[in-house]
Short mmCIF file of all heavy atoms in Angstrom, two decimals:
data_model
loop_
_atom_site.label_atom_id
_atom_site.label_comp_id
_atom_site.label_asym_id
_atom_site.label_seq_id
_atom_site.Cartn_x
_atom_site.Cartn_y
_atom_site.Cartn_z
N ALA A 1 -11.62 21.92 3.86
CA ALA A 1 -10.20 21.59 3.76
C ALA A 1 -9.81 20.61 4.86
O ALA A 1 -9.06 19.66 4.64
CB ALA A 1 -9.37 22.87 3.87
N PHE A 2 -10.34 20.86 6.07
CA PHE A 2 -10.06 19.95 7.17
C PHE A 2 -10.67 18.58 6.92
O PHE A 2 -10.08 17.55 7.22
CB PHE A 2 -10.62 20.53 8.47
CG PHE A 2 -10.52 19.59 9.63
CD1 PHE A 2 -9.32 19.38 10.28
CD2 PHE A 2 -11.64 18.90 10.08
CE1 PHE A 2 -9.23 18.51 11.35
CE2 PHE A 2 -11.56 18.02 11.14
CZ PHE A 2 -10.36 17.83 11.78
N LEU A 3 -11.89 18.58 6.34
CA LEU A 3 -12.56 17.32 6.07
C LEU A 3 -11.77 16.49 5.06
O LEU A 3 -11.63 15.27 5.20
CB LEU A 3 -13.98 17.57 5.54
CG LEU A 3 -14.95 18.18 6.53
CD1 LEU A 3 -16.28 18.45 5.86
CD2 LEU A 3 -15.14 17.28 7.74
N VAL A 4 -11.24 17.14 4.01
CA VAL A 4 -10.45 16.43 3.01
C VAL A 4 -9.19 15.85 3.65
O VAL A 4 -8.82 14.70 3.43
CB VAL A 4 -10.08 17.36 1.85
CG1 VAL A 4 -9.07 16.70 0.93
CG2 VAL A 4 -11.32 17.73 1.05
N MET A 5 -8.52 16.66 4.47
CA MET A 5 -7.29 16.21 5.11
C MET A 5 -7.57 15.06 6.08
O MET A 5 -6.85 14.07 6.12
CB MET A 5 -6.63 17.37 5.86
CG MET A 5 -6.09 18.47 4.95
SD MET A 5 -5.52 19.89 5.90
CE MET A 5 -4.25 19.14 6.90
N SER A 6 -8.63 15.19 6.87
CA SER A 6 -8.92 14.17 7.87
C SER A 6 -9.43 12.89 7.23
O SER A 6 -9.32 11.81 7.82
CB SER A 6 -9.95 14.68 8.87
OG SER A 6 -11.17 14.98 8.23
N ALA A 7 -9.97 12.99 6.02
CA ALA A 7 -10.49 11.80 5.35
C ALA A 7 -9.39 10.91 4.80
O ALA A 7 -9.55 9.70 4.69
CB ALA A 7 -11.42 12.20 4.21
N HIS A 8 -8.23 11.51 4.46
CA HIS A 8 -7.18 10.74 3.82
C HIS A 8 -6.64 9.58 4.66
O HIS A 8 -6.39 8.50 4.12
CB HIS A 8 -6.02 11.66 3.40
CG HIS A 8 -6.25 12.29 2.06
ND1 HIS A 8 -7.09 13.36 1.89
CD2 HIS A 8 -5.77 11.98 0.84
CE1 HIS A 8 -7.11 13.69 0.62
NE2 HIS A 8 -6.33 12.88 -0.05
N PRO A 9 -6.43 9.75 5.97
CA PRO A 9 -5.90 8.61 6.72
C PRO A 9 -6.80 7.38 6.71
O PRO A 9 -6.33 6.26 6.88
CB PRO A 9 -5.75 9.17 8.15
CG PRO A 9 -5.62 10.63 7.96
CD PRO A 9 -6.50 10.95 6.79
N THR A 10 -8.11 7.60 6.53
CA THR A 10 -9.03 6.46 6.55
C THR A 10 -9.56 6.13 5.16
O THR A 10 -10.49 5.36 5.02
CB THR A 10 -10.22 6.77 7.47
OG1 THR A 10 -10.88 7.95 7.00
CG2 THR A 10 -9.77 6.98 8.89
N MET A 11 -8.93 6.68 4.14
CA MET A 11 -9.44 6.53 2.79
C MET A 11 -9.42 5.09 2.31
O MET A 11 -10.18 4.71 1.44
CB MET A 11 -8.63 7.41 1.83
CG MET A 11 -9.33 7.70 0.52
SD MET A 11 -8.45 8.93 -0.45
CE MET A 11 -8.93 10.43 0.37
N VAL A 12 -8.54 4.26 2.87
CA VAL A 12 -8.48 2.88 2.43
C VAL A 12 -9.66 2.07 2.94
O VAL A 12 -9.93 0.98 2.46
CB VAL A 12 -7.18 2.20 2.92
CG1 VAL A 12 -5.98 2.81 2.25
CG2 VAL A 12 -7.05 2.30 4.44
N SER A 13 -10.38 2.60 3.93
CA SER A 13 -11.48 1.82 4.51
C SER A 13 -12.85 2.45 4.33
O SER A 13 -13.85 1.75 4.26
CB SER A 13 -11.24 1.61 6.01
OG SER A 13 -11.15 2.86 6.67
N THR A 14 -12.91 3.79 4.27
CA THR A 14 -14.23 4.40 4.15
C THR A 14 -14.12 5.77 3.50
O THR A 14 -13.21 6.52 3.77
CB THR A 14 -14.89 4.56 5.53
OG1 THR A 14 -16.16 5.18 5.36
CG2 THR A 14 -14.08 5.37 6.50
N HIS A 15 -15.07 6.09 2.64
CA HIS A 15 -15.19 7.40 2.02
C HIS A 15 -16.65 7.79 2.12
O HIS A 15 -17.49 7.22 1.44
CB HIS A 15 -14.76 7.38 0.55
CG HIS A 15 -13.36 6.89 0.37
ND1 HIS A 15 -12.26 7.67 0.63
CD2 HIS A 15 -12.88 5.70 -0.05
CE1 HIS A 15 -11.16 6.98 0.37
NE2 HIS A 15 -11.52 5.80 -0.04
N LEU A 16 -16.95 8.77 2.95
CA LEU A 16 -18.33 9.12 3.24
C LEU A 16 -19.05 7.85 3.70
O LEU A 16 -18.68 7.28 4.70
CB LEU A 16 -18.98 9.74 1.99
CG LEU A 16 -18.31 11.05 1.52
CD1 LEU A 16 -19.05 11.62 0.32
CD2 LEU A 16 -18.24 12.08 2.61
N CYS A 17 -20.06 7.39 2.98
CA CYS A 17 -20.81 6.22 3.42
C CYS A 17 -20.36 4.95 2.73
O CYS A 17 -20.60 3.86 3.21
CB CYS A 17 -22.31 6.43 3.16
SG CYS A 17 -23.01 7.81 4.09
N ARG A 18 -19.71 5.07 1.56
CA ARG A 18 -19.27 3.92 0.80
C ARG A 18 -17.82 4.14 0.35
O ARG A 18 -17.37 5.27 0.23
CB ARG A 18 -20.15 3.70 -0.43
CG ARG A 18 -21.55 3.20 -0.08
CD ARG A 18 -21.52 1.80 0.47
NE ARG A 18 -22.85 1.37 0.89
CZ ARG A 18 -23.07 0.24 1.54
NH1 ARG A 18 -22.08 -0.56 1.83
NH2 ARG A 18 -24.29 -0.08 1.90
N PRO A 19 -17.07 3.07 0.11
CA PRO A 19 -15.68 3.21 -0.30
C PRO A 19 -15.53 4.11 -1.52
O PRO A 19 -16.26 4.00 -2.48
CB PRO A 19 -15.27 1.76 -0.61
CG PRO A 19 -16.18 0.93 0.23
CD PRO A 19 -17.49 1.66 0.25
N SER A 20 -14.58 5.02 -1.42
CA SER A 20 -14.11 5.83 -2.54
C SER A 20 -15.00 6.98 -2.95
O SER A 20 -14.63 7.75 -3.81
CB SER A 20 -13.83 4.95 -3.78
OG SER A 20 -12.83 4.01 -3.50
N LEU A 21 -16.18 7.14 -2.36
CA LEU A 21 -17.03 8.24 -2.77
C LEU A 21 -16.40 9.59 -2.44
O LEU A 21 -16.62 10.57 -3.15
CB LEU A 21 -18.41 8.15 -2.12
CG LEU A 21 -19.27 6.93 -2.48
CD1 LEU A 21 -20.69 7.13 -1.97
CD2 LEU A 21 -19.28 6.70 -3.98
N GLY A 22 -15.61 9.65 -1.38
CA GLY A 22 -14.92 10.88 -1.03
C GLY A 22 -13.94 11.31 -2.09
O GLY A 22 -13.67 12.50 -2.26
N VAL A 23 -13.39 10.36 -2.86
CA VAL A 23 -12.45 10.69 -3.92
C VAL A 23 -13.15 11.45 -5.03
O VAL A 23 -12.60 12.40 -5.60
CB VAL A 23 -11.78 9.42 -4.47
CG1 VAL A 23 -10.82 9.76 -5.60
CG2 VAL A 23 -11.04 8.68 -3.37
N ASP A 24 -14.38 11.05 -5.35
CA ASP A 24 -15.15 11.76 -6.38
C ASP A 24 -15.31 13.23 -6.00
O ASP A 24 -15.12 14.13 -6.83
CB ASP A 24 -16.53 11.11 -6.55
CG ASP A 24 -16.45 9.66 -6.99
OD1 ASP A 24 -16.01 8.81 -6.19
OD2 ASP A 24 -16.84 9.37 -8.13
N PHE A 25 -15.68 13.46 -4.74
CA PHE A 25 -15.86 14.84 -4.28
C PHE A 25 -14.54 15.61 -4.33
O PHE A 25 -14.49 16.76 -4.80
CB PHE A 25 -16.40 14.83 -2.85
CG PHE A 25 -16.46 16.20 -2.22
CD1 PHE A 25 -17.32 17.16 -2.71
CD2 PHE A 25 -15.65 16.51 -1.15
CE1 PHE A 25 -17.38 18.42 -2.15
CE2 PHE A 25 -15.70 17.77 -0.57
CZ PHE A 25 -16.57 18.73 -1.07
N PHE A 26 -13.48 14.97 -3.89
CA PHE A 26 -12.17 15.62 -3.88
C PHE A 26 -11.75 16.02 -5.29
O PHE A 26 -11.23 17.12 -5.51
CB PHE A 26 -11.15 14.66 -3.26
CG PHE A 26 -9.73 15.16 -3.31
CD1 PHE A 26 -9.33 16.23 -2.52
CD2 PHE A 26 -8.80 14.56 -4.13
CE1 PHE A 26 -8.02 16.69 -2.57
CE2 PHE A 26 -7.49 15.01 -4.18
CZ PHE A 26 -7.10 16.08 -3.39
N PHE A 27 -11.99 15.15 -6.27
CA PHE A 27 -11.57 15.43 -7.64
C PHE A 27 -12.45 16.51 -8.28
O PHE A 27 -11.94 17.37 -9.00
CB PHE A 27 -11.59 14.16 -8.48
CG PHE A 27 -10.41 13.25 -8.24
CD1 PHE A 27 -9.50 13.49 -7.24
CD2 PHE A 27 -10.21 12.13 -9.04
CE1 PHE A 27 -8.42 12.65 -7.00
CE2 PHE A 27 -9.13 11.28 -8.83
CZ PHE A 27 -8.23 11.54 -7.81
N VAL A 28 -13.77 16.44 -8.07
CA VAL A 28 -14.66 17.47 -8.62
C VAL A 28 -14.29 18.83 -8.03
O VAL A 28 -14.14 19.83 -8.77
CB VAL A 28 -16.14 17.15 -8.32
CG1 VAL A 28 -17.03 18.33 -8.71
CG2 VAL A 28 -16.58 15.91 -9.07
N LEU A 29 -14.13 18.88 -6.73
CA LEU A 29 -13.79 20.13 -6.06
C LEU A 29 -12.43 20.64 -6.51
O LEU A 29 -12.23 21.84 -6.73
CB LEU A 29 -13.82 19.93 -4.54
CG LEU A 29 -13.61 21.18 -3.67
CD1 LEU A 29 -14.69 22.20 -3.95
CD2 LEU A 29 -13.59 20.80 -2.21
N SER A 30 -11.48 19.72 -6.67
CA SER A 30 -10.14 20.12 -7.10
C SER A 30 -10.15 20.71 -8.50
O SER A 30 -9.49 21.72 -8.77
CB SER A 30 -9.20 18.91 -7.05
OG SER A 30 -7.88 19.28 -7.40
N GLY A 31 -10.91 20.08 -9.42
CA GLY A 31 -11.01 20.61 -10.77
C GLY A 31 -11.62 21.99 -10.79
O GLY A 31 -11.16 22.89 -11.53
N PHE A 32 -12.64 22.19 -9.95
CA PHE A 32 -13.27 23.51 -9.85
C PHE A 32 -12.29 24.55 -9.32
O PHE A 32 -12.14 25.64 -9.87
CB PHE A 32 -14.49 23.44 -8.95
CG PHE A 32 -15.10 24.79 -8.66
CD1 PHE A 32 -16.04 25.33 -9.51
CD2 PHE A 32 -14.71 25.51 -7.54
CE1 PHE A 32 -16.59 26.58 -9.25
CE2 PHE A 32 -15.25 26.76 -7.27
CZ PHE A 32 -16.20 27.30 -8.13
N ILE A 33 -11.60 24.20 -8.25
CA ILE A 33 -10.73 25.16 -7.57
C ILE A 33 -9.54 25.55 -8.44
O ILE A 33 -9.18 26.73 -8.50
CB ILE A 33 -10.25 24.58 -6.23
CG1 ILE A 33 -11.41 24.53 -5.25
CG2 ILE A 33 -9.13 25.43 -5.65
CD1 ILE A 33 -11.10 23.76 -3.98
#
């Protein structure tokens, strides 16, 4: 939860190792939850 929150401020520049990959994780996890 902290990782998702802390990732948002930098989401325009980096997601994990490549742009936007963190969004995929956020959406998969959100659908599951």
Side-chain angles (χ1 to χ4, degrees):
F2 173 76
L3 293 177
V4 170
M5 293 172 60
S6 62
H8 275 78
T10 58
M11 199 171 282
V12 293
S13 59
T14 179
H15 302 284
L16 299 182
C17 297
R18 289 292 176 187
S20 299
L21 297 191
V23 179
D24 299 69
F25 173 66
F26 175 70
F27 282 8
V28 171
L29 185 60
S30 183
F32 173 87
I33 290 170

